Amino acid sequence: MSIIYLITVLIMIILHILIYKKEEKQNLLKWIAITIVINLCYNIFICVILSFIKISSTLITLSIINTIISILLGIKIYKDKKIQKYEINKIDIIAVIIMLIIPIKITHEITDGTIHYFVANEFYHTSQLLFNGNSDVLDMWHVDFFMSGAYINTGILFKIFSGFISETYFCQLFFIFDISIWFLSGILMYVFLSKNKKIIPLIFSIIYMIGY
């Protein structure tokens, strides 16, 4: 099921990137970053809605919804009769490489990592959001709910990789995902600051990532 889910996500992301936005060519790096963020927010939104209507957020359920969304995106592209054109600058590629080096070279620590991992793992096992007393985890941490955005995407990631790796390695997967979000935030900083000028936004983005 993991492969099917990944395929639906990939199709949905590609279709969103292809949707016509403006006549002039758009920056490919910018829209890849934006689309990934939208997908992360979309996952949270869908899982919250499913929780309200008492449907488990399994990969099967999410794959079905992704397929429906992909069909709708495909219909829009068909009606528009055109797709968005993109460009990518060499400096953008260099910027990505430089910002990739930062997570490798700098020690990164996760705030409240224990709690975040614990609730993500709970969502992975139950496919239910943690609120309104529907989990013993809430009593354990003496809270009424956990912010869903903090664990849904990590839990989905656990679901995806459960068919490929042992749960023993989920801790490493958790750290990789957190570092990936850190890297993505740096890319977003860069693409939104850079228009005509590239070097100064890159410097500011590097400073932001180092000081994060």
Side-chain angles (χ1 to χ4, degrees):
M1 196 63 223
S2 299
I3 299 296
I4 295 176
Y5 173 77
L6 285 173
I7 291 174
T8 63
V9 171
L10 182 60
I11 291 175
M12 194 166 55
I13 287 176
I14 291 174
L15 288 175
H16 182 266
I17 292 175
L18 291 178
I19 283 179
Y20 178 77
K21 301 166 184 71
K22 293 183 178 180
E23 184 63 34
E24 61 269 20
K25 289 184 178 181
Q26 296 294 298
N27 185 287
L28 181 59
L29 177 62
K30 175 182 177 180
W31 278 101
I32 289 177
I34 291 175
T35 302
I36 292 174
V37 172
I38 290 175
N39 184 69
L40 295 175
C41 296
Y42 159 84
N43 287 338
I44 296 171
F45 175 76
I46 292 299
C47 289
V48 169
I49 295 300
L50 290 176
S51 179
F52 279 127
I53 59 179
K54 308 299 182 182
I55 298 178
S56 298
S57 300
T58 64
L59 289 187
I60 295 176
T61 305
L62 297 176
S63 295
I64 293 172
I65 296 174
N66 288 351
T67 300
I68 294 173
I69 298 299
S70 295
I71 292 173
L72 294 176
L73 293 175
I75 291 174
K76 176 171 175 52
I77 292 174
Y78 177 77
K79 287 184 176 180
D80 290 340
K81 301 297 183 182
K82 51 186 172 182
I83 60 176
Q84 183 61 50
K85 296 180 180 179
Y86 291 96
E87 62 180 3
I88 186 165
N89 302 309
K90 292 180 180 179
I91 185 64
D92 290 341
I93 299 175
I94 295 173
V96 170
I97 294 173
I98 292 174
M99 282 188 276
L100 270 174
I101 295 174
I102 295 175
I104 297 174
K105 295 297 183 180
I106 295 179
T107 301
H108 176 62
E109 295 182 1
I110 299 175
T111 305
D112 297 330
T114 302
I115 297 177
H116 291 169
Y117 176 83
F118 203 95
V119 294
N121 193 57
E122 180 74 3
F123 177 69
Y124 155 68
H125 283 292
T126 65
S127 297
Q128 299 288 338
L129 299 193
L130 309 179
F131 63 89
N132 293 335
N134 65 343
S135 173
D136 295 335
V137 175
L138 296 172
D139 297 330
M140 180 184 302
W141 294 100
H142 305 291
V143 295
D144 296 324
F145 69 96
F146 287 105
M147 295 180 64
S148 55
Y151 63 82
I152 285 178
N153 284 296
T154 310
I156 291 176
L157 195 66
F158 288 172
K159 291 174 182 291
I160 294 172
F161 280 89
S162 62
F164 305 105
I165 64 175
S166 169
E167 292 185 20
T168 307
Y169 298 102
F170 278 8
C171 184
Q172 288 91 330
L173 190 61
F174 173 73
F175 278 101
I176 291 172
F177 179 69
D178 192 76
I179 292 173
S180 298
I181 296 299
W182 177 33
F183 168 70
L184 178 61
S185 68
I187 294 295
L188 286 170
M189 173 74 75
Y190 168 74
V191 297
F192 280 111
L193 287 179
S194 62
K195 291 183 179 179
N196 296 324
K197 298 180 179 180
K198 299 286 186 177
I199 301 301
I200 294 178
L202 175 58
I203 293 173
F204 274 110
S205 300
I206 291 173
I207 293 172
Y208 160 76
M209 291 186 69
I210 294 174
Y212 181 79

